[in-house]
Amino acid sequence: MSQALPATIPASLFEQRADAIADAARELSVLGWTPATSSNFSMRVDADHAAITISGRHKGRLGRDDIMLIDLDGNAVGTDARPSAETALHTQVYRRWPEMNAVLHTHSRTQSVASRLFAADGAVRLQGWELQKAITGYHTHESVLEIPVFPNTQHMPELVARVDAWLDAGKPLHAYLIDGHGIYTWGRDMAETQRHLEALEFLLDCELDLKKLRAS
Amino acid sequence: MSQALPATIPASLFEQRADAIADAARELSVLGWTPATSSNFSMRVDADHAAITISGRHKGRLGRDDIMLIDLDGNAVGTDARPSAETALHTQVYRRWPEMNAVLHTHSRTQSVASRLFAADGAVRLQGWELQKAITGYHTHESVLEIPVFPNTQHMPELVARVDAWLDAGKPLHAYLIDGHGIYTWGRDMAETQRHLEALEFLLDCELDLKKLRAS
Amino acid sequence: MSQALPATIPASLFEQRADAIADAARELSVLGWTPATSSNFSMRVDADHAAITISGRHKGRLGRDDIMLIDLDGNAVGTDARPSAETALHTQVYRRWPEMNAVLHTHSRTQSVASRLFAADGAVRLQGWELQKAITGYHTHESVLEIPVFPNTQHMPELVARVDAWLDAGKPLHAYLIDGHGIYTWGRDMAETQRHLEALEFLLDCELDLKKLRAS
Amino acid sequence: MSQALPATIPASLFEQRADAIADAARELSVLGWTPATSSNFSMRVDADHAAITISGRHKGRLGRDDIMLIDLDGNAVGTDARPSAETALHTQVYRRWPEMNAVLHTHSRTQSVASRLFAADGAVRLQGWELQKAITGYHTHESVLEIPVFPNTQHMPELVARVDAWLDAGKPLHAYLIDGHGIYTWGRDMAETQRHLEALEFLLDCELDLKKLRAS
């Protein structure tokens, strides 16, 4: 492993995070949500650092060597490896919410298609689905779960600014879509984050199916 | 295992039920019908008791410790664990039909979407499908298989009352959908119940596909 | 095994046929084409006998004890087991074509839905698909592959008569659908029959997809 | 192995190519992209030779004996085996681009349906999808990725001429569809070629889904 660690981070801690990321990535790859080396994943290591996937690797076959340490400004720490191009979207989560410890970004067909379909509306609004209760803080199908769709760009600061603007307007945010691209979601630990992602994919799938059927 | 058993229930009997529930749950989880810790499953243990899944567990990884004993009023017996929030819908089946011994509640995408689509009609009416014969008591594709769709609520007594009203009106009932939620079905043993569930999912899938195609 | 064999049929021959049927059934079950104990399969054993699945068994878990011997009038030979209710459709193939040695009847969602959709037309007509060449005798995508759809009935002699009428009219027949039910296809050996079934499912899937898309 | 090799090609080189082809074929077969013995695969061996699948084999169970050597005019070298009927489309790639070392031709349902749907337009034009960046040379979702759809024919020289005409007109080409048939794509090594194929299938899937949904 070409990853050197700061004295304050024990190897066992970094390895635990790397293994948790690789395990989650393998499950998501089998589902087909990480096509053609897309998608990226991270976990917080401590108040100032996160572990994140190195750019361009096949997400179904990650090992510890495919995960690297960064600081919360997105700089590589103790390695020459290049973090994902979208690292700034991960560190934004860790900086804004001290209680959040994992971020998953996937790229399923449903996520890509839903983002295109609802891009003009600026958001997908979900209501009436029992599974909304799988998102932490939701206790009834009668609530509205709003997932913004931001325009895609190859320039990350634009996206960071859009997320900040949404949050600074005081709106709740548990996940967001990027147009033609995929989804970002997070949670207090990897299990909660995976549950959020699984529920969001299910809800988007249901919403698209219902749209097709209601038109018929 | 923190489950104490009444003297009248041998450990081997409870364990047989717990294992049968865990095995069925694993198969249903692989099919994607239990997303994000949703769904619940039970089996009758004797005239006064049932074994049921503990609330909130991942349905693909259930062990004996994830199953608990309840009486037919839905009270925990010999454990501090909390049964599924929807326990009253399971015990209703065991109280009304002494010959029924297993209840499966799942939450597939097809079940969720079909329930939304047919909620206004109050029921899905299936006719002309050979697979209707997989439901006990049906011998020809010419019969009508009616599956009511009840409004969703977080208050279980309302749902119990709707099921009672349907049955007290003398209508046949082999399964029901809850709007935006999922399906309940039951049988004399786990194999029959699994056959019912598999056939119902297939029939709902076919009905939705046909609706999309007939519109085109 | 409660199957007694005539002196002219060696045990090894019957067992080879039973194993080939069970292997094919397992593959088809994994694909979801045999829901809820539906579907039935057979192979010719000699000029006067066939091996066929016993009624009502789970098609993903067949062993030699789930296969029985019949004569070509559909009578059980050397066993008290009950053959599939649709045995007459299998024996019809073996009686009309001495060169045919395997019959597969499955019940996939696509087969069920396509049969309902094209029932009024009396047939599905496929043209322009390269995979039509997977059906023995077809050498170009420009040919027309016609698959009749017969009305469903619980009375087998009606179906036998419809198949006979089609063939007696001199029309080619490689497979047929039964409305709301499934497909029958056959071949000179199990490999050819499986290739036919796989190609037909693919072609029906494509035809339904294209119909949905052309309407949009 | 009935494959004799020219003195200039070590057995280990041919075997490496054969194993890489068989491994890729197995993965593509599991995805259902090679139905009923369709599809064919090749890799360059040296400046004058390629290894290619023998005609008509089941693509999920290829071994070294199912791969043969050809020269770049499509003639068998050191074997009596018959190469795929579509060999000329593989050798065309190796002759036109010295840097290309692998060609994959599959036959998924999505590829078949998309080719029929867009045949009249002569091409599928993809824009706005982040995953376009998985095709070598594409760096933004704002670019247009054009995949021509050529008419199907059982006469290969016609197809070769259409590909040549497209390229001679100076248009970029990373893959092409054949109407009612499937896709061809290539790359500098097998990993790049598999990434191209995976991304193209995903993009075609998304485009078809979006078309269905935009109509609703």
Side-chain angles (χ1 to χ4, degrees):
Chain A
M1 193 163 65
S2 60
Q3 173 70 59
L5 293 169
T8 55
I9 299 179
S12 62
L13 175 62
F14 178 79
E15 288 168 8
Q16 186 277 333
R17 297 297 192 262
D19 292 349
I21 290 170
D23 288 348
R26 209 170 299 117
E27 292 181 26
L28 297 169
S29 172
V30 167
L31 295 170
W33 300 3
T34 68
T37 78
S38 70
S39 306
N40 39 70
F41 311 116
S42 71
M43 284 195 83
R44 184 194 290 280
V45 174
D46 65 17
D48 303 313
H49 298 89
I52 193 165
T53 42
I54 294 177
S55 184
R57 305 290 166 93
H58 187 298
K59 297 308 180 294
R61 302 177 203 136
L62 295 184
R64 289 177 183 171
D65 289 357
D66 300 308
I67 317 289
M68 63 180 290
L69 194 69
I70 52 170
D71 63 28
L72 296 195
D73 295 318
N75 302 308
V77 176
T79 173
D80 293 332
R82 192 166 58 88
S84 161
E86 295 161 23
T87 293
L89 300 174
H90 291 251
T91 55
Q92 180 179 36
V93 170
Y94 298 124
R95 283 199 316 264
R96 285 200 75 123
W97 291 294
E99 72 275 23
M100 296 302 170
N101 291 302
V103 177
L104 295 174
H105 164 49
T106 55
H107 204 289
S108 78
R109 171 177 160 186
T110 294
Q111 292 155 15
S112 294
V113 171
S115 69
R116 289 288 291 264
L117 194 66
F118 292 99
D121 297 339
V124 188
R125 286 178 191 83
L126 299 161
Q127 187 170 25
W129 301 106
E130 179 73 9
L131 211 71
Q132 293 171 223
K133 290 165 59 186
I135 308 297
T136 297
Y138 285 75
H139 300 292
T140 167
H141 63 284
E142 291 166 355
S143 55
V144 175
L145 173 59
E146 191 173 38
I147 305 165
V149 184
F150 298 125
N152 196 15
T153 169
Q154 303 302 323
H155 186 58
M156 287 307 111
E158 280 180 44
L159 272 167
V160 170
R162 287 187 187 275
V163 174
D164 277 334
W166 181 277
L167 288 165
D168 293 345
K171 298 195 225 180
L173 189 71
H174 301 84
Y176 56 86
L177 288 161
I178 306 173
D179 185 15
H181 192 151
I183 203 165
Y184 273 83
T185 192
W186 47 85
R188 287 166 298 189
D189 54 29
M190 185 56 93
E192 186 181 77
T193 309
Q194 287 183 282
R195 197 187 69 222
H196 284 172
L197 184 59
E198 189 180 352
L200 291 163
E201 173 83 2
F202 180 91
L203 291 166
L204 291 174
D205 264 336
C206 286
E207 198 71 20
L208 295 190
D209 272 358
L210 193 58
K211 193 166 156 55
K212 284 183 204 162
L213 282 156
R214 287 221 162 121
S216 65
Chain B
M1 193 164 64
S2 61
Q3 173 70 59
L5 292 169
T8 54
I9 299 179
S12 63
L13 175 62
F14 178 79
E15 289 167 9
Q16 186 277 332
R17 297 297 192 261
D19 292 350
I21 289 170
D23 288 348
R26 209 170 299 117
E27 291 180 26
L28 297 169
S29 172
V30 168
L31 295 170
W33 301 3
T34 68
T37 79
S38 69
S39 306
N40 40 69
F41 311 115
S42 71
M43 283 195 84
R44 183 193 291 279
V45 174
D46 65 17
D48 302 313
H49 299 89
I52 193 165
T53 42
I54 294 176
S55 185
R57 306 290 167 90
H58 186 300
K59 297 309 180 294
R61 301 177 205 136
L62 295 183
R64 288 178 184 171
D65 289 357
D66 300 307
I67 317 290
M68 63 181 290
L69 194 70
I70 52 170
D71 64 27
L72 296 195
D73 294 319
N75 301 306
V77 175
T79 174
D80 292 333
R82 191 166 60 88
S84 161
E86 295 161 23
T87 292
L89 300 174
H90 291 251
T91 55
Q92 181 180 36
V93 170
Y94 299 123
R95 282 201 317 265
R96 285 201 74 125
W97 291 295
E99 73 275 23
M100 294 302 171
N101 290 303
V103 178
L104 296 174
H105 164 50
T106 55
H107 203 290
S108 78
R109 172 176 160 188
T110 293
Q111 293 154 16
S112 294
V113 171
S115 68
R116 288 289 291 265
L117 194 67
F118 292 99
D121 297 339
V124 188
R125 284 176 194 84
L126 300 162
Q127 188 171 24
W129 301 105
E130 179 73 8
L131 211 72
Q132 293 171 222
K133 290 166 59 185
I135 309 297
T136 297
Y138 285 74
H139 301 293
T140 167
H141 63 284
E142 290 167 354
S143 56
V144 176
L145 173 59
E146 190 174 38
I147 305 165
V149 183
F150 297 125
N152 196 14
T153 170
Q154 304 301 322
H155 186 57
M156 286 307 112
E158 280 180 44
L159 273 168
V160 170
R162 286 188 189 274
V163 175
D164 277 335
W166 181 278
L167 288 166
D168 294 346
K171 297 196 225 179
L173 188 71
H174 301 84
Y176 56 85
L177 288 161
I178 306 174
D179 185 15
H181 191 152
I183 204 165
Y184 274 83
T185 192
W186 47 85
R188 286 166 299 187
D189 54 29
M190 185 57 92
E192 186 181 75
T193 310
Q194 288 182 284
R195 198 186 69 220
H196 284 173
L197 184 59
E198 190 180 353
L200 291 162
E201 174 82 2
F202 181 91
L203 291 166
L204 291 173
D205 264 337
C206 286
E207 197 71 22
L208 295 190
D209 272 358
L210 193 57
K211 194 167 156 52
K212 283 183 203 162
L213 281 156
R214 287 225 162 119
S216 66
Chain C
M1 192 164 65
S2 60
Q3 174 70 59
L5 293 170
T8 54
I9 299 178
S12 62
L13 175 62
F14 178 79
E15 288 167 9
Q16 187 278 333
R17 297 298 192 261
D19 291 351
I21 290 170
D23 288 348
R26 209 171 298 117
E27 291 180 26
L28 298 170
S29 172
V30 167
L31 295 170
W33 300 4
T34 67
T37 78
S38 70
S39 307
N40 39 70
F41 311 116
S42 71
M43 284 195 83
R44 184 194 292 277
V45 175
D46 65 18
D48 303 312
H49 297 90
I52 193 165
T53 43
I54 293 176
S55 184
R57 306 289 167 89
H58 187 299
K59 297 309 179 293
R61 301 177 204 136
L62 295 183
R64 288 178 184 172
D65 289 357
D66 300 308
I67 316 290
M68 62 182 289
L69 193 70
I70 53 169
D71 64 28
L72 295 195
D73 295 319
N75 301 306
V77 175
T79 173
D80 292 333
R82 191 164 59 86
S84 161
E86 294 161 24
T87 292
L89 300 174
H90 292 251
T91 54
Q92 181 180 34
V93 170
Y94 299 123
R95 282 200 317 262
R96 285 200 74 124
W97 291 295
E99 72 275 23
M100 295 301 171
N101 290 303
V103 178
L104 295 174
H105 163 49
T106 56
H107 204 290
S108 79
R109 173 176 160 187
T110 294
Q111 292 154 16
S112 293
V113 171
S115 68
R116 288 290 289 264
L117 194 67
F118 292 100
D121 297 340
V124 188
R125 283 178 193 82
L126 300 161
Q127 187 171 26
W129 301 104
E130 177 73 7
L131 211 71
Q132 293 170 222
K133 289 165 59 185
I135 309 297
T136 296
Y138 285 75
H139 300 292
T140 167
H141 63 284
E142 291 168 354
S143 55
V144 175
L145 172 59
E146 190 174 38
I147 305 166
V149 183
F150 298 124
N152 196 13
T153 170
Q154 303 302 321
H155 185 59
M156 286 308 112
E158 280 180 44
L159 273 167
V160 170
R162 287 187 188 276
V163 175
D164 277 334
W166 181 278
L167 288 167
D168 293 345
K171 298 195 227 180
L173 188 72
H174 302 84
Y176 56 87
L177 289 160
I178 306 174
D179 185 15
H181 191 151
I183 204 166
Y184 274 82
T185 192
W186 46 86
R188 285 166 299 187
D189 54 29
M190 185 58 91
E192 185 181 78
T193 310
Q194 287 183 283
R195 197 186 71 221
H196 284 172
L197 184 59
E198 191 179 352
L200 291 163
E201 175 81 3
F202 181 91
L203 291 167
L204 291 173
D205 264 337
C206 286
E207 196 71 22
L208 295 190
D209 272 359
L210 192 58
K211 193 166 157 54
K212 284 183 202 162
L213 282 156
R214 287 221 160 122
S216 67
Chain D
M1 192 163 66
S2 59
Q3 174 70 59
L5 293 169
T8 54
I9 299 179
S12 62
L13 175 62
F14 179 79
E15 288 167 9
Q16 187 277 332
R17 298 298 192 259
D19 291 351
I21 290 171
D23 287 349
R26 209 172 297 117
E27 291 180 26
L28 297 169
S29 172
V30 167
L31 295 169
W33 300 3
T34 67
T37 78
S38 69
S39 307
N40 40 69
F41 311 116
S42 70
M43 284 195 83
R44 184 193 294 276
V45 174
D46 64 18
D48 303 313
H49 299 89
I52 193 164
T53 41
I54 295 177
S55 183
R57 306 289 166 93
H58 186 299
K59 297 307 180 294
R61 300 176 205 137
L62 295 183
R64 289 178 183 170
D65 289 356
D66 301 307
I67 317 290
M68 62 181 289
L69 193 69
I70 52 169
D71 63 29
L72 296 194
D73 294 319
N75 302 307
V77 175
T79 172
D80 293 332
R82 191 166 60 88
S84 161
E86 295 161 24
T87 292
L89 300 174
H90 292 252
T91 55
Q92 181 179 36
V93 170
Y94 298 123
R95 282 199 318 262
R96 284 201 75 123
W97 291 296
E99 72 275 24
M100 295 303 170
N101 290 302
V103 178
L104 295 174
H105 164 49
T106 56
H107 204 289
S108 79
R109 172 177 158 185
T110 294
Q111 292 154 14
S112 294
V113 171
S115 68
R116 289 289 290 264
L117 195 66
F118 293 99
D121 297 340
V124 189
R125 286 180 191 79
L126 299 161
Q127 187 170 26
W129 302 105
E130 178 73 9
L131 211 69
Q132 293 170 222
K133 290 165 58 186
I135 309 297
T136 296
Y138 285 76
H139 300 290
T140 167
H141 62 284
E142 291 167 355
S143 56
V144 175
L145 173 58
E146 190 173 38
I147 305 164
V149 183
F150 297 125
N152 196 14
T153 169
Q154 303 301 322
H155 185 60
M156 288 306 111
E158 280 180 43
L159 274 167
V160 170
R162 287 188 187 277
V163 174
D164 277 333
W166 181 278
L167 289 165
D168 294 344
K171 298 195 225 179
L173 188 72
H174 302 83
Y176 56 86
L177 288 161
I178 306 173
D179 184 14
H181 192 152
I183 204 166
Y184 274 82
T185 191
W186 48 86
R188 286 165 300 187
D189 54 30
M190 184 57 91
E192 186 181 78
T193 310
Q194 286 184 285
R195 197 186 72 222
H196 284 173
L197 184 59
E198 190 180 352
L200 290 163
E201 174 83 2
F202 181 91
L203 291 166
L204 291 174
D205 264 337
C206 286
E207 197 71 23
L208 295 191
D209 272 359
L210 193 58
K211 193 166 158 52
K212 284 183 202 164
L213 281 155
R214 287 223 160 121
S216 67

